[in-house]
Amino acid sequence: MPPITTVSTSIHKRQINKVAVLGAGTMGSRIAAHIANAGLPVVLLDIVPPGTSADAPKQERNKFLLSAMDGLKKSKPAAFYTPESARLITIGNFDDDLALIADCDWIIEVVAENLDIKRALLEKVQQHRRPDSIITSNTSGLPIHRIVEGMPMELRRRWFGTHFFNPPRYMRLLEVIATPDSDVADMAAVEHFCDVRLGKAIVHAHDTPNFIANRIGTFSMGNAIRLMQEQGLTIEEVDTLTGSPLGWPKTGTFRLGDMVGVDVLAHVAMNFAAQAAKINDERAEVTLAPFIGKMLEKKWLGDKTGQGFYKKEGKDAEGRDLRHVLDWQTLDYKQSMRPKFPAIEMAKNVESTAVRIPQLLHADASKDKAAGFYWPLLTELFTYSANRLPEIADNIVEIDQAMKTGFNWELGPFEMFDAAGVRATTEKVRAGGGSVSANVEKLLAYADAHGEANPSWYKDDASVPSGRLFFDPVTSTYKSVVTAEGVTSLAVIKKAKGVVKKNPGASVVDLGDGVAAIELHSKMNALGDDIVRLITQTLKPSSDTVGNFEAFVITGDSANFSVGANLMQLLLGIQEEEWDEVEMAVRAFQNMTQAIKFCPRPVVVAPYGMCLGGGVEISLHAAARQPHAELYMGLVEAGVGLIPGGGGCKEMTIRSVEAGSSIRPDARGEGVEIFEALKKNFETIAMAKVSTSAAEARSMGFFRASDTVTMNRERLLIDAKLKARAIADAGYSAPVPRMDIAAPGENALATLKLAVWTMREGQYISEHDAKIANWVAYALCGGKVTPGTAVTEQYLLDLEREAFLSLCGEKKTQERIAFTLKTGKPLRN
């Protein structure tokens, strides 16, 4: 696997080329795995199992390490981008192999949360590490400065905290905690590496208990549990209230607790409680809920023990796990039933979280217990967060960023406060006899002094690079939100420059330097008529837009690049039997992908999140791709009873022929090499395979060798722009339509159809699956032509369209489309 790379041009003076991780528990092993994902060699060390003799075989002395590696390879969600990344990890133990750290640039300590254990290990590490190597701790429970107290200044200068969140591959937050002795340049080197190579959002935390995210998160979760007990709510009700309606993860409070581990939550809460009184925290009196203490006694620790706040018991009629929920008052389990609240039902019609929050917060508590829960939950969160400045962080931006990237909140607490309305909410708190933070009073005083009726923690300002200002209560002034070079978004650029043109599904945005972005912004970026029309009109040779720009990027700011074609539009056309319109829509989609491929300017597609069906076809036709590392990419049309109809089969046929011809240049559509490549692509499409990373998408044939990967989602836009600019500067010439594609033909088609027949006879697939798979084979092989027959790209597109339209007429395909639209899941009928 080629190393994960980025086209970011910023190079830090100090390079990190090799890393050691000390401690192979859940956190340490997964940190090592993610560093390996970035293509770096990693040394992973842990203790020798107690009681193991000094002359025992290496396998016994490394038993903990071998178990950790086995766990990494089997972990779900996957710790590695691809299994091959594991080869970059070298394992060993602290007694025999500490010398392996001698050539490591960065050493990360991730051993047990015990001050004596950490200090004893550092004494040993000192004997082997390079004097200039950086060494950090992943502790979440111990003060960073105390771990190295009294140790040599040479070590203390290289020492600071780097607090990862679990699982490190997926959770973007990295809290960096300095001590008074920490070297600024060393911190900058690690921050740059973690930003660009590991995709982390860097937040600077002060060396206070639980740092930022766990401090605010522990308060919020503890408050939700307290309110549940005071108001007599159920675990399910609290999970519903503290999930998607607030822009928080849909797991809610307790389902998240099961995933993290009830014991882990308890440890964080007790660690905080032990130190809260010392730091004058208003929640110093908070103690662990008695029912959670009983859960710990019973070892009901969540997912890792099979039960916690929830447990799986039995199956439903469709074979899905039935989840039962704990009654916290009796400690009995009962079948889970999703609760309903009038306020939540109304909020479902509001897409924007920022609009939902005031609706939920200011609802009438006498009519809906949801409102009675939300008012203390959110207003106390706002006050608590405001009171933490400047104790836990320098500014509100660090706190908001920590909660968004560490707990996956859509909005940070200060952004939520703005959405709720600072003045209106504060006046209502005062009227109810609640306390108001002194920092909130400073914001209101500033607003009054400047004649601002609606004060807010943040303001838009297109004159600064981030497009945003924040209120600093320490100085009672607004300051610029600072972003790293290479980090931006289309939203920021549009505030400064507006848009070139737009329709409901897409916009063209001037990125500067002769590069424009085509932004997709329909619901889930489903590809309907509006997106197809705008892309085609923008990129065709006669377009004025093409004449005004030298390169293009297709991407977006949303969570997912595209879920594929707009199935609702397609199903309506099928149900009305408007076959001419359906065929015209397929032709229009094909024309769009051809406009991308043959545009006189280079087009770079930057996919991210889910990139399915038509989204993949857009990507396949680009001059280059700049994907985000976390990419779930697949030609999934078979799941809805179809095959790719926008050129996806055509491009995979071309890639199959190219793959074989690169090994045997004299091959004309035939040969083992071409068939093996064709078979692999056939399976990818017919089985609707989806990658779990950009690295896996590469192995599935969706990327070229020259396509590089961006690790940090916030850098994707600039990386894609730089790539597009570089291709244009190199003297880009658009390809011409292929007229000489050597079709694999009828021999390959017969072999693939035999494989389909065998699968059907073995009852591994349904009759309709077999029909779809045969059409996939037909399109990929170029139909029933003699092997090696020269065919055109248009010929292959015509075959795709024929297959697509034929399947549209099948009742079982229509059932699959309708089922997916209703449930979001595929139907295997």
Side-chain angles (χ1 to χ4, degrees):
M1 182 192 75
I4 302 296
T5 55
T6 177
V7 297
S8 292
T9 56
S10 177
I11 303 295
H12 198 274
K13 291 180 180 179
R14 177 157 192 182
Q15 297 294 299
I16 293 175
N17 299 310
K18 188 174 183 180
V19 180
V21 179
L22 310 181
T26 299
M27 198 68 194
S29 61
R30 280 158 178 72
I31 291 172
H34 193 48
I35 293 168
N37 285 336
L40 268 72
V42 188
V43 173
L44 179 62
L45 306 178
D46 208 327
I47 62 171
V48 175
T52 306
S53 64
D55 59 353
K58 195 74 171 177
Q59 191 167 355
E60 289 184 28
R61 292 179 67 76
N62 285 346
K63 183 177 178 180
F64 289 162
L65 276 302
L66 293 168
S67 176
M69 290 300 295
D70 187 54
L72 286 178
K73 293 170 185 176
K74 296 177 181 177
S75 68
K76 292 183 180 181
F80 291 117
Y81 286 157
T82 63
E84 290 76 22
S85 297
R87 65 180 172 79
L88 291 168
I89 299 179
T90 300
I91 64 171
N93 63 73
F94 295 148
D95 292 350
D96 306 329
D97 304 302
L98 261 181
L100 291 173
I101 70 174
D103 61 345
C104 293
D105 305 297
W106 178 22
I107 302 165
I108 310 171
E109 173 273 303
V110 202
V111 296
E113 293 286 88
N114 180 292
L115 188 62
D116 293 336
I117 291 174
K118 290 179 185 291
R119 288 177 63 86
L121 177 60
L122 290 182
E123 294 286 356
K124 293 182 180 179
V125 167
Q126 275 293 81
Q127 301 169 33
H128 298 281
R129 60 176 281 268
R130 287 199 328 256
D132 68 336
S133 65
I134 300 168
I135 182 164
T136 69
S137 176
N138 184 66
T139 183
S140 60
L142 295 172
I144 299 296
H145 69 280
R146 282 201 61 202
I147 300 173
V148 292
E149 214 164 41
M151 291 189 177
M153 178 57 74
E154 176 273 319
L155 171 65
R156 301 205 311 268
R157 282 184 59 243
R158 305 292 184 192
W159 173 263
F160 51 95
T162 48
H163 184 215
F164 290 81
F165 275 62
N166 194 34
R169 171 182 164 181
Y170 301 96
M171 299 304 293
R172 292 186 53 230
L173 177 61
L174 179 72
E175 292 178 320
V176 176
I177 309 99
T179 75
D181 301 317
S182 300
D183 183 85
V184 174
D186 286 347
M187 292 178 63
V190 168
E191 289 173 18
H192 180 77
F193 172 82
C194 292
D195 169 358
V196 175
R197 300 299 299 275
L198 300 186
K200 295 299 174 186
I202 309 299
V203 165
H204 299 96
H206 294 168
D207 197 1
T208 54
N210 290 357
F211 309 130
I212 299 175
N214 279 339
R215 181 76 171 274
I216 302 293
T218 299
F219 169 81
S220 180
M221 294 177 78
N223 217 24
I225 294 170
R226 177 183 65 83
L227 291 170
M228 176 185 73
Q229 295 175 102
E230 288 179 0
Q231 299 181 10
L233 299 173
T234 67
I235 281 174
E236 288 169 297
E237 286 177 325
V238 171
D239 275 354
T240 297
L241 293 167
T242 57
S244 303
L246 295 179
W248 293 355
K250 62 182 180 181
T251 51
T253 298
F254 294 102
R255 183 71 195 97
L256 176 63
D258 276 351
M259 294 167 67
V260 172
V262 180
D263 54 334
V264 175
L265 291 180
H267 170 77
V268 172
M270 288 187 288
N271 172 66
F272 169 63
Q275 302 182 65
K278 304 175 188 175
I279 53 177
N280 195 32
D281 190 285
E282 58 262 47
R283 281 293 170 194
E285 77 283 359
V286 170
T287 56
L288 201 64
F291 78 92
I292 294 180
K294 292 177 183 177
M295 291 174 67
L296 294 174
E297 292 174 10
K298 293 174 178 288
K299 304 296 183 186
W300 295 352
L301 306 182
D303 290 353
K304 59 188 168 188
T305 59
Q307 69 184 101
F309 300 114
Y310 295 87
K311 74 172 178 176
K312 295 176 183 177
E313 287 188 354
K315 304 276 186 181
D316 65 11
E318 296 181 8
R320 293 172 299 198
D321 289 323
L322 284 174
R323 198 180 297 278
H324 288 234
V325 64
L326 182 72
D327 181 330
W328 61 268
Q329 299 186 67
T330 65
L331 292 188
D332 294 324
Y333 286 91
K334 58 184 180 181
Q335 188 168 335
S336 178
M337 300 290 289
R338 190 156 186 85
K340 289 187 179 295
F341 299 94
I344 300 295
E345 293 304 307
M346 288 182 63
K348 286 180 179 177
N349 300 317
V350 180
E351 248 183 80
S352 167
T353 299
V355 176
R356 277 199 309 274
I357 285 172
Q359 180 178 316
L360 294 169
L361 183 64
H362 297 295
D364 188 344
S366 66
K367 296 180 180 178
D368 189 344
K369 60 182 177 179
F373 177 82
Y374 279 135
W375 179 256
L377 181 81
L378 294 182
T379 57
E380 289 175 23
L381 170 66
F382 299 159
T383 300
Y384 186 81
S385 300
N387 283 343
R388 301 285 70 75
L389 288 167
E391 179 204 347
I392 65 174
D394 287 337
N395 55 62
I396 67 170
V397 181
E398 304 281 10
I399 293 176
D400 278 350
Q401 180 79 326
M403 298 314 299
K404 290 191 290 184
T405 58
F407 278 72
N408 285 335
W409 290 7
E410 186 179 332
L411 302 173
F414 292 95
E415 291 171 324
M416 294 179 76
F417 202 171
D418 277 351
V422 175
R423 190 181 294 280
T425 303
T426 303
E427 287 175 354
K428 193 172 173 183
V429 168
R430 275 206 191 98
S435 62
V436 176
S437 168
N439 286 329
V440 174
E441 298 284 16
K442 290 180 182 180
L443 173 61
L444 294 173
Y446 178 95
D448 291 340
H450 292 79
E452 297 177 2
N454 299 306
S456 60
W457 293 101
Y458 292 96
K459 289 182 180 180
D460 289 338
D461 187 339
S463 69
V464 300
S466 66
R468 211 175 186 201
L469 306 175
F470 72 92
F471 183 74
D472 175 22
V474 176
T475 60
S476 287
T477 58
Y478 279 92
K479 296 180 178 179
S480 298
V481 173
V482 177
T483 55
E485 181 185 356
V487 170
T488 193
S489 67
L490 286 164
V492 168
I493 293 172
K494 285 190 293 185
K495 285 176 185 175
K497 295 190 172 187
V499 298
V500 176
K501 62 179 180 180
K502 68 179 293 186
N503 66 25
S507 299
V508 177
V509 182
D510 185 353
L511 300 181
D513 302 317
V515 182
I518 298 176
E519 177 192 16
L520 309 183
H521 49 64
S522 65
K523 187 171 183 179
M524 295 292 285
N525 288 345
L527 304 169
D529 295 343
D530 43 10
I531 291 177
V532 169
R533 188 169 59 253
L534 184 135
I535 292 178
T536 306
Q537 292 174 349
T538 300
L539 299 182
K540 64 184 181 182
S542 59
S543 164
D544 290 339
T545 312
V546 161
N548 293 332
F549 293 97
E550 298 170 55
F552 291 89
V553 170
I554 301 179
T555 192
D557 276 352
S558 54
N560 297 298
F561 179 76
S562 175
V563 295
N566 188 321
L567 290 177
M568 181 59 76
Q569 284 185 1
L570 176 63
L571 184 60
L572 289 174
I574 293 172
Q575 290 174 338
E576 295 295 325
E577 297 186 356
E578 296 173 343
W579 298 113
D580 288 344
E581 282 82 356
V582 172
E583 182 176 10
M584 285 175 61
V586 179
R587 284 183 182 274
F589 202 102
Q590 291 181 342
N591 290 339
M592 174 192 69
T593 58
Q594 300 317 288
I596 293 169
K597 183 169 185 176
F598 302 117
C599 179
R601 309 298 192 198
V603 179
V604 173
V605 173
Y608 52 88
M610 286 193 292
C611 178
L612 307 175
V616 180
E617 292 177 302
I618 286 176
S619 180
L620 290 173
H621 286 83
R625 285 138 294 276
Q626 183 69 39
H628 180 229
E630 293 298 337
L631 184 66
Y632 306 91
M633 190 175 206
L635 292 165
V636 296
E637 287 84 353
V640 290
L642 298 167
I643 76 164
C649 292
K650 170 194 62 120
E651 287 300 307
M652 297 307 275
T653 295
I654 293 172
R655 281 159 169 73
S656 301
V657 173
E658 288 175 347
S661 299
S662 67
I663 300 171
R664 282 187 53 202
D666 60 331
R668 286 292 303 166
E670 287 192 288
V672 173
E673 295 84 4
I674 287 179
F675 182 74
E676 286 302 315
L678 187 74
K679 177 186 172 187
K680 179 182 176 184
N681 290 336
F682 166 76
E683 291 173 350
T684 294
I685 298 173
M687 298 173 67
K689 291 183 177 180
V690 178
S691 73
T692 57
S693 67
E696 188 177 10
R698 185 192 298 280
S699 71
M700 293 166 66
F702 294 140
F703 300 137
R704 302 287 191 182
S706 57
D707 293 332
T708 49
V709 175
T710 294
M711 295 290 280
N712 191 326
R713 174 68 179 88
E714 293 183 336
R715 293 182 172 276
L716 186 63
L717 178 61
I718 294 300
D719 282 357
K721 174 191 171 182
L722 290 172
K723 175 171 280 188
R725 184 66 260 174
I727 295 172
D729 289 342
Y732 180 73
S733 295
V736 295
R738 294 280 299 273
M739 311 294 288
D740 60 344
I741 303 163
E746 56 189 357
N747 291 351
L749 176 58
T751 304
L752 291 177
K753 291 180 78 170
L754 176 61
V756 173
W757 180 85
T758 303
M759 293 288 287
R760 175 64 189 135
E761 285 296 297
Q763 298 187 341
Y764 294 107
I765 59 176
S766 70
E767 182 179 347
H768 197 53
D769 288 330
K771 184 174 288 187
I772 298 162
N774 283 331
W775 274 117
V776 172
Y778 178 78
L780 285 176
C781 293
K784 298 177 181 179
V785 299
T786 303
T789 299
V791 300
T792 66
E793 290 195 48
Q794 187 58 52
Y795 169 82
L796 293 177
L797 285 172
D798 293 342
L799 291 186
E800 272 189 55
R801 192 170 64 257
E802 174 192 354
F804 188 94
L805 292 170
S806 176
L807 287 167
C808 281
E810 297 281 349
K811 182 181 179 182
K812 288 187 182 296
T813 288
Q814 295 165 24
E815 289 171 353
R816 288 192 180 192
I817 295 172
F819 184 84
T820 297
L821 285 170
K822 182 179 180 180
T823 68
K825 299 175 182 178
L827 172 68
R828 305 314 297 257
N829 54 356

